Amino acid sequence: MRSYQAMLNNGETLPIIGMGTYSGENDRETTEKAIRTAIKMGYRHFDTAKIYGSELALGNALRRAIHDGLIEREDIHVTSKLWSSDHHDPVSALQQTLQRLGMEYIDMYLVHWPVALKAWVDYPVPAEEDFEELDMENTWSGMERCLEMGLCKSIGVSNFSSRKIEELIDFACVTPVVNQVEMHPMWRQRKLRSICGDYGIHVSAYSPLGGPGNAWGTTAVVDHPIIQSIAHKHNATPAQVALRWGLSQGSSVIVKSFNPRRMKENIGALDLTLDDWDLFEIEKMEERKIMRAEYLINDTTSPYKTIEELWDDEI
């Protein structure tokens, strides 16, 4: 398997195609089997989070694969995320993540959202009374402490707008290595990629196919006539075209499927090359943010009273 890695601003590397492990309705056995299949196909980056409910399954699958000699620990990259109810103590939250994974460290720890919730909120859609005041300076200090303690090799953020990145840079001792955000041919993130590039922050794309199969997702990206036409031209699939577009922008992509045929198809995007005309055509596509997170907006307890405040008009 050829090595496809992005270099991060701290000298660490990141495999440019990652497997998302949100398990949803899947049981642990199904998740573990999918991860083992992915390892055999060549996936080396696995993306999880406390709120995904997949840390236990991911840890089991990776430890078994290491035990069986399929991979070495240093050959895989594990990303997890600080859930919004743990902003008060990132160190303890990461220690609990490591316990669930059965690992001594993870490769990357991300602040999942620029939102703080009360300690008991272990569900993704908070009620109005669940919010706490956000103190990102204190949160980021805790993230830096995780790094100092060797609990992770890199720290970063997720779902941060250009303005929120710049605000974080103002007080951060350690610059985030990654900003993981929604990005695909119908939500191209030009401004955000430029700002992150100014600070050497790598942009990692979640929902690079538009999130089909998720409650909030759509097939509009892979069904788009431009994507379909480019796929036909290259004898590729629409999913491969969408993923290759993200990679062509210098980003990594986190793609979620437990279906072996689709998993193989997705990693096949590494073998596709898009030409300048393809990229020009994709720039014509209408843009629409799919994951808007309106549930983080309210007039009383959330730090964000409007959707424009949450995304700082990048919406």
Side-chain angles (χ1 to χ4, degrees), residues 42-306:
Y43 286 85
R44 293 295 179 264
H45 177 193
F46 297 91
D47 182 89
T48 185
K50 174 183 176 178
I51 202 66
Y52 293 173
S54 60
E55 289 176 332
L56 206 57
L58 176 59
N60 286 346
L62 293 179
R63 289 197 316 277
R64 183 179 165 206
I66 292 167
H67 178 267
D68 292 349
L70 287 178
I71 47 169
E72 303 287 338
R73 172 61 183 96
E74 54 268 26
D75 295 332
I76 55 174
H77 183 105
V78 178
T79 296
S80 194
K81 306 180 190 79
L82 176 80
W83 181 236
S84 300
S85 60
D86 294 320
H87 275 240
H88 61 286
D89 192 353
V91 169
S92 293
L94 180 47
Q95 287 170 333
Q96 290 168 26
T97 278
L98 292 173
Q99 191 171 9
R100 287 187 290 271
L101 287 166
M103 292 182 167
E104 294 180 0
Y105 70 92
I106 58 171
D107 299 271
M108 191 156 64
Y109 199 40
L110 307 180
V111 177
H112 206 150
W113 287 92
V115 171
L117 300 174
K118 290 178 178 168
W120 60 79
V121 182
D122 59 354
Y123 37 88
V125 179
E128 194 164 334
E129 63 271 16
D130 291 339
F131 289 82
E132 282 197 341
E133 186 175 350
L134 177 65
D135 180 355
M136 259 317 296
E137 192 164 351
N138 186 59
T139 298
W140 193 248
S141 177
M143 296 291 285
E144 291 174 339
R145 181 77 181 125
C146 291
L147 197 60
E148 291 165 10
M149 293 173 67
L151 304 178
C152 57
K153 290 187 171 184
S154 303
I155 52 175
V157 295
S158 180
N159 297 300
F160 272 52
S161 66
S162 300
R163 182 183 297 175
K164 288 177 177 61
I165 287 288
E166 293 185 307
E167 289 170 350
L168 176 57
I169 293 293
D170 280 345
F171 56 73
C173 296
V174 177
T175 300
V177 298
V178 157
N179 186 14
Q180 189 185 113
V181 293
E182 178 188 344
M183 178 179 151
H184 46 72
M186 292 183 70
W187 191 247
R188 296 187 284 278
Q189 295 280 22
R190 181 175 292 276
K191 178 183 177 182
L192 182 67
R193 286 190 282 122
S194 176
I195 294 291
C196 286
D198 290 344
Y199 296 108
I201 300 170
H202 176 81
V203 174
S204 189
Y206 73 72
S207 297
L209 305 178
N214 291 327
W216 51 270
T218 178
T219 60
V221 175
V222 292
D223 288 345
H224 196 284
I226 287 177
I227 298 295
Q228 296 265 339
S229 173
I230 295 170
H232 180 73
K233 167 184 164 182
H234 290 285
N235 195 28
T237 68
Q240 288 171 339
V241 172
L243 294 174
R244 186 73 249 185
W245 174 83
L247 298 173
S248 75
Q249 306 306 305
S251 300
S252 54
V253 293
I254 309 295
V255 63
K256 158 70 173 67
S257 178
F258 287 0
N259 178 302
R261 181 183 61 80
R262 290 203 189 98
M263 289 159 63
K264 186 176 181 181
E265 173 190 340
N266 292 337
I267 206 165
L270 292 169
D271 299 319
L272 174 64
T273 301
L274 300 180
D275 59 39
D276 290 344
W277 182 253
D278 300 328
L279 300 176
F280 176 75
E281 287 293 294
I282 288 171
E283 287 297 320
K284 294 180 183 176
M285 291 170 64
E286 66 277 16
E287 292 204 67
R288 175 165 65 93
K289 182 164 179 55
I290 299 165
M291 177 54 162
R292 295 168 63 87
E294 286 99 337
Y295 52 82
L296 297 178
I297 309 302
N298 71 62
D299 287 331
T300 54
T301 57
S302 171
Y304 311 111
K305 311 307 177 195
T306 66

